[in-house]
């Protein structure tokens, strides 16, 4: 598993990456004050770099930037898949990668050795340790729910008093265009992921002729573990056990680790830099298959202002007119959208064509790629948007009813979006404040009402999150329409995908995003959390069953009424 940092290999790798990056990207932007803070932190205490994870380029870019600024190169936790790549695997090892299995389940010895290896590198201050708190690349470009295993390992030396402090540095990496965009869409639709191999890497060299726009890398403020734990954590429990012995963290420690992980991810989200293509994707998804170009420009300018009002960070060229900015983004994403006869088109939609399953798949690929760019902004919009959804779905405009509906939606979508645990009321107040500031809702101590001026914006926010709501409604309908007991996750994903495909073919829905395996897995996890689905472990896999009573309790809150359970399209 061990890394083997070699200066000669690093220099060769840096030279190669420099040539590749210049072919792929127009520019790479880095916040230099963040680099200066990182340089200072590396001199003081052990540092853990925690980048967002959207592409294989992430860890290469991180090492390349630190090399360029003459900072200590990180040692990087990499998947075991890379170790099997001829030449490349060894080159990665000599550039600081150490390899870990995807799962440690059932192998306590391997976990003990791996954890001790990581802690030794951290204690010795050998180099910054880097890993992805999301655990894997996000195929949807939404931030994934954090994983706590490796984070707990790097915190343990501080808990045991082996180091005075540890700095956690959130890093946000924003792509104007993601290299693996089409690969992700196919994976989400059930096409197996190709195995990492050197031959596959060589075959992929044709992408060097494409333009992938710009990258923004934002190094956040180092988070001191000592400051985060001050007044909250009692570390003395670790003094009761010899330091060389591993021990299971207490509930207090586990809660602390969880809170830090969510804090890191929320910082990553806050520091993301959005491109014009993200705004365009959000607009086109509400107006597919096509939209007039002039209207798209007007809507993009309006959404830019709204995004800035909500606190988003945008890259918008000052020396170009809005129409040129939009046109440049369309050209950059020409594999998804095209401009023809004054219309921006996502896909052809001839009135007399009979829709087939193959056409549904092709359209789904395009829409999922487009959705991956819109998803870069959903975590920024989720709180005000859920307040709007709650206003539309609540039984009345009273503050209590809207707040209760908001809490239900927040729990329902807890696997889709990142919320700080236990902050339901704060999230509701934050969303309401942003809407009130922009005159979208009128707040009183007893009521929340959408204003006349805010109806258009409220509808836009509603439609932005409608695919998520409708996707969960469709999954619920699938369960309600006679699913037999005792099925696996794989059977559930296949069943939901077939169910949604048939409803698209009959014109009952246009929610292509419900075909995504990511959404299907999230609905399953959410329904288990809500008690709609019960799970029991078997020798080989988890077996799921439906709780009919729990379904009856939830159906009204989802905006569905039995029998028939039709999605209330008019209301949406």
């Amino acid at each position: 598993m061990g890394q083997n940092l070699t200066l000669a290999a690093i220099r060769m790798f840096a030279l190669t990456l420099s040539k590749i990056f210049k072919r792929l990207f127009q520019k790479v932007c880095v916040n230099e004050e963040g680099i200066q803070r990182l340089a200072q932190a590396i001199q003081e205490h052990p540092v853990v770099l925690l980048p967002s994870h959207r592409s294989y380029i992430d860890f290469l870019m991180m090492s390349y930037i630190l090399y360029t600024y003459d900072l200590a190169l990180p040692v990087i936790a990499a998947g075991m898949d890379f170790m099997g790549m001829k030449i490349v695997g060894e080159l990665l090892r000599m550039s600081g990668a150490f390899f870990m299995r995807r799962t440690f389940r059932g192998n306590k010895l391997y976990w003990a050795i791996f954890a001790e290896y990581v802690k030794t590198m951290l204690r010795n201050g050998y180099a910054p340790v880097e890993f992805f708190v999301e655990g894997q690349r996000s195929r949807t470009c939404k931030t994934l729910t954090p994983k706590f295993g490796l984070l707990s390992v790097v915190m343990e030396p501080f808990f045991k008093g082996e180091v005075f402090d540890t700095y956690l540095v959130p890093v946000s990496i924003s792509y104007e265009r993601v290299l693996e965009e089409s690969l992700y869409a196919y994976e989400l639709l059930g096409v197996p992921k190709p195995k990492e191999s050197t031959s596959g890497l060589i075959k992929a060299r044709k992408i060097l002729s494409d333009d992938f726009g710009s990258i923004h890398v934002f190094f956040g403020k180092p988070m001191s573990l000592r400051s985060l734990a001050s007044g909250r954590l009692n570390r003395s429990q670790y003094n009761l056990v010899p330091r060389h012995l591993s021990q299971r963290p207490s509930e207090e420690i586990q809660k602390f680790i969880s809170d830090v992980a969510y804090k890191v991810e929320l910082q990553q989200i806050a520091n993301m830099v959005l491109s014009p293509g993200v705004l365009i994707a959000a607009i086109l998804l509400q107006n597919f298959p096509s939209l007039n170009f002039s209207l798209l420009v007007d809507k993009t300018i309006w959404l830019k202002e709204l995004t800035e009002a909500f606190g988003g960070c945008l890259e918008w060229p000052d020396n170009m007119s809005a129409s040129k900015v939009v046109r440049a983004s369309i050209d950059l994403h020409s594999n998804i959208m095209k401009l023809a006869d004054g219309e921006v088109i996502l896909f052809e939609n001839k009135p007399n064509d009979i829709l087939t399953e193959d056409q549904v798949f092709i359209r789904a690929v395009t829409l999922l790629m487009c959705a991956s760019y819109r998803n870069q902004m959903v975590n920024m919009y989720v709180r005000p948007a859920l307040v709007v959804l709650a206003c539309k779905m609540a039984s009345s405009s009273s503050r209590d009813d809207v707040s209760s509906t908001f809490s239900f939606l927040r729990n329902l979508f807890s696997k889709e979006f990142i919320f700080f645990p236990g902050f339901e009321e704060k999230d509701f107040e934050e969303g309401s404040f942003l809407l009130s500031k922009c005159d979208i809702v009128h707040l009183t101590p007893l009521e929340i009402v959408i204003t006349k001026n805010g109806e258009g914006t409220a509808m836009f926010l509603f439609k932005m999150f409608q695919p998520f709501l409708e996707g969960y409604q469709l999954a619920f309908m699938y369960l309600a329409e006679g699913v037999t007991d005792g099925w696996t996750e794989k059977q559930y994903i296949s069943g939901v995908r077939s169910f949604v495909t048939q409803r698209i073919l009959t014109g009952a829905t246009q929610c292509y995003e419900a075909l995504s395996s990511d959404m299907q897995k999230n609905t399953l996890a959410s329904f288990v959390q809500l008690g709609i689905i019960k799970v029991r472990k078997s020798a080989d896999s988890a077996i799921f069953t439906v709780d009919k009573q729990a379904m009856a309790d939830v159906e009204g809150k989802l905006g569905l009424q039995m029998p028939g359970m039709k999605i209330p399209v008019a209301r949406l």
Side-chain angles (χ1 to χ4, degrees):
M1 67 179 67
Q3 54 80 24
N4 181 27
L5 269 173
T6 307
L7 192 57
I10 289 167
R11 285 174 174 163
M12 185 186 75
F13 210 5
L15 180 63
T16 305
L17 288 177
S18 177
K19 293 181 181 298
I20 291 172
F21 290 158
K22 284 176 181 177
R23 290 284 299 273
L24 289 174
F25 305 110
Q26 296 173 10
K27 59 184 177 180
V28 178
C29 304
V30 181
N31 64 322
E32 294 206 335
E33 72 279 8
I35 288 288
Q36 291 167 7
R37 288 193 299 258
L38 176 61
Q40 182 64 33
I42 289 173
Q43 294 175 14
E44 295 175 355
H45 298 293
V47 168
V48 180
L49 296 169
L50 300 168
S52 56
H53 200 14
R54 302 291 176 272
S55 170
Y56 280 143
I57 294 294
D58 295 334
F59 66 90
L60 299 174
M61 183 57 69
M62 286 288 294
S63 293
Y64 180 73
I65 289 171
L66 267 60
Y67 176 85
T68 302
Y69 281 95
D70 199 24
L71 296 177
L73 290 186
V75 288
I76 308 160
M80 195 68 78
D81 307 337
F82 293 103
M83 193 176 75
M85 295 176 68
K86 293 179 180 178
I87 303 173
V88 175
E90 198 55 36
L91 185 57
L92 289 173
R93 190 192 298 276
M94 290 190 291
S95 301
F98 60 96
F99 300 100
M100 58 185 290
R101 295 178 183 174
R102 292 294 181 187
T103 177
F104 301 124
R105 193 172 299 161
N107 196 329
K108 294 181 179 179
L109 177 60
Y110 183 87
W111 169 249
I113 294 171
F114 178 81
E116 190 58 36
Y117 178 71
V118 174
K119 287 184 285 187
T120 299
M121 288 191 292
L122 198 70
R123 284 192 298 261
N124 293 346
Y126 178 78
V129 174
E130 178 188 326
F131 65 91
F132 303 104
V133 75
E134 295 169 90
Q136 61 179 338
R137 290 175 299 161
S138 172
R139 269 69 175 170
T140 60
C141 288
K142 285 192 285 93
T143 302
L144 302 178
T145 305
K147 304 294 187 292
F148 308 127
L150 205 43
L151 192 60
S152 67
V153 170
V154 297
M155 288 186 182
E156 193 171 311
F158 169 72
F159 293 152
K160 290 186 173 182
E162 295 170 340
V163 296
F164 181 78
D165 198 358
T166 301
Y167 285 135
L168 307 179
V169 182
V171 185
S172 305
I173 307 177
S174 311
Y175 293 90
E176 193 170 5
R177 185 180 165 201
V178 179
L179 266 73
E180 301 97 324
E181 57 183 359
S182 60
L183 184 66
Y184 288 164
Y186 281 103
E187 281 186 46
L188 292 172
L189 292 170
V191 177
K193 169 191 168 188
K195 186 180 179 181
E196 288 84 358
S197 66
T198 305
S199 60
L201 184 64
I202 294 170
K203 289 176 185 176
R205 68 185 183 279
K206 60 184 178 182
I207 67 169
L208 293 173
S209 60
D210 284 353
D211 180 7
F212 289 89
S214 58
I215 300 179
H216 285 79
V217 183
F218 191 100
F219 289 84
K221 292 182 180 179
M223 299 162 59
S224 162
L225 263 187
R226 194 171 191 83
S227 298
L228 292 171
S230 178
R232 175 177 172 181
L233 215 57
N234 178 14
R235 294 188 291 155
S236 62
Q237 58 183 293
Y238 277 95
N239 295 328
L240 304 176
V241 179
R243 288 184 178 181
H244 68 280
L245 294 181
S246 180
Q247 58 178 305
R248 183 177 178 81
S250 65
E251 286 187 16
E252 179 189 31
I253 294 288
Q254 289 180 42
K255 177 69 167 60
F256 176 75
I257 293 169
S258 170
D259 287 353
V260 170
Y262 278 99
K263 193 183 288 286
V264 166
E265 290 201 341
L266 288 169
Q267 281 296 310
Q268 289 175 348
I269 292 166
N271 294 331
M272 286 288 180
V273 179
L274 305 177
S275 67
V278 171
L279 309 183
I280 293 168
I283 295 165
L284 289 178
L285 283 170
Q286 297 187 23
N287 297 276
F288 68 80
S290 63
L291 181 65
N292 178 269
F293 177 75
S294 298
L295 186 55
L296 175 61
V297 173
D298 292 341
K299 284 180 174 288
T300 304
I301 294 169
W302 167 81
L303 186 54
K304 170 182 177 288
E305 293 171 354
L306 181 66
T307 302
E308 289 172 340
F310 278 12
C313 180
L314 275 164
E315 181 202 21
W316 189 275
D318 295 327
N319 58 344
M320 292 173 65
S321 65
S323 60
K324 286 184 178 179
V325 171
V326 173
R327 181 59 193 266
S329 291
I330 293 171
D331 290 341
L332 183 68
H333 297 284
S334 58
N335 60 324
I336 302 174
M337 57 191 80
K338 62 180 179 180
L339 179 61
D341 300 325
E343 295 284 315
V344 181
I345 302 166
L346 281 178
F347 54 78
E348 299 288 344
N349 188 31
K350 296 177 182 177
N352 298 325
D353 275 1
I354 298 173
L355 199 59
T356 65
E357 288 194 20
D358 287 343
Q359 286 176 312
V360 168
F361 183 88
I362 292 167
R363 290 183 180 184
V365 169
T366 299
L367 290 171
L368 287 179
M369 282 196 287
C370 198
S372 70
Y373 292 100
R374 177 214 58 205
N375 287 343
Q376 294 180 28
M377 66 192 292
V378 291
N379 272 302
M380 189 195 72
Y381 273 98
V382 66
R383 287 155 189 81
L386 287 191
V387 174
V388 169
L389 259 72
C391 288
K392 297 279 187 182
M393 298 176 67
S395 56
S396 72
S397 60
S398 76
R399 196 180 186 94
D400 287 344
D401 280 351
V402 174
S403 177
S404 175
T405 306
F406 175 90
S407 294
F408 168 75
L409 291 170
R410 186 184 184 277
N411 291 333
L412 180 71
F413 295 132
S414 61
K415 308 301 179 184
E416 294 284 350
F417 312 113
I418 302 302
F419 301 105
F420 199 88
F423 277 48
E424 288 88 350
E425 188 174 339
K426 182 179 178 183
D427 285 341
F428 177 70
E429 294 299 333
E430 180 186 328
S432 301
F433 170 76
L434 288 172
L435 293 171
S436 176
K437 184 180 78 168
C438 298
D439 194 31
I440 300 167
V441 300
H442 176 64
L443 298 177
T444 71
L446 298 177
E447 278 193 323
I448 298 180
V449 181
I450 295 174
T451 65
K452 193 165 186 64
N453 292 337
E455 285 177 357
T457 306
M459 184 53 66
F460 179 86
L461 295 175
F462 194 95
K463 286 183 176 180
M464 184 190 292
F465 285 80
Q466 180 178 335
F468 299 102
L469 177 61
E470 194 170 341
Y472 276 63
Q473 289 173 327
L474 287 164
F476 189 90
M477 291 167 64
Y478 166 73
L479 293 174
E481 293 188 3
V483 175
T484 56
D485 284 345
W487 32 270
T488 63
E489 181 185 89
K490 187 176 180 180
Q491 290 170 329
Y492 171 81
I493 290 172
S494 175
V496 173
R497 184 173 286 133
S498 297
F499 176 79
V500 174
T501 300
Q502 290 307 311
R503 291 188 70 86
I504 292 173
L505 289 171
T506 59
T509 183
Q510 284 193 309
C511 188
Y512 287 84
E513 290 182 54
L515 296 170
S516 163
S517 59
D518 180 78
M519 182 177 288
Q520 290 152 11
K521 290 175 183 177
N522 289 340
T523 59
L524 183 60
S526 179
F527 291 163
V528 168
Q529 183 174 286
L530 292 172
I532 296 171
I533 294 173
K534 303 295 183 185
V535 57
R536 71 175 190 273
K537 300 289 184 182
S538 71
D540 300 324
S541 60
I543 304 297
F544 300 92
T545 56
V546 175
D547 187 322
K548 297 291 185 182
Q549 182 56 51
M551 288 190 73
D553 294 339
V554 170
E555 55 154 339
K557 294 179 180 179
L558 266 174
L560 297 167
Q561 296 82 32
M562 285 200 259
M565 302 194 67
K566 294 182 179 179
I567 294 177
V569 178
R571 193 175 186 186
L572 295 182

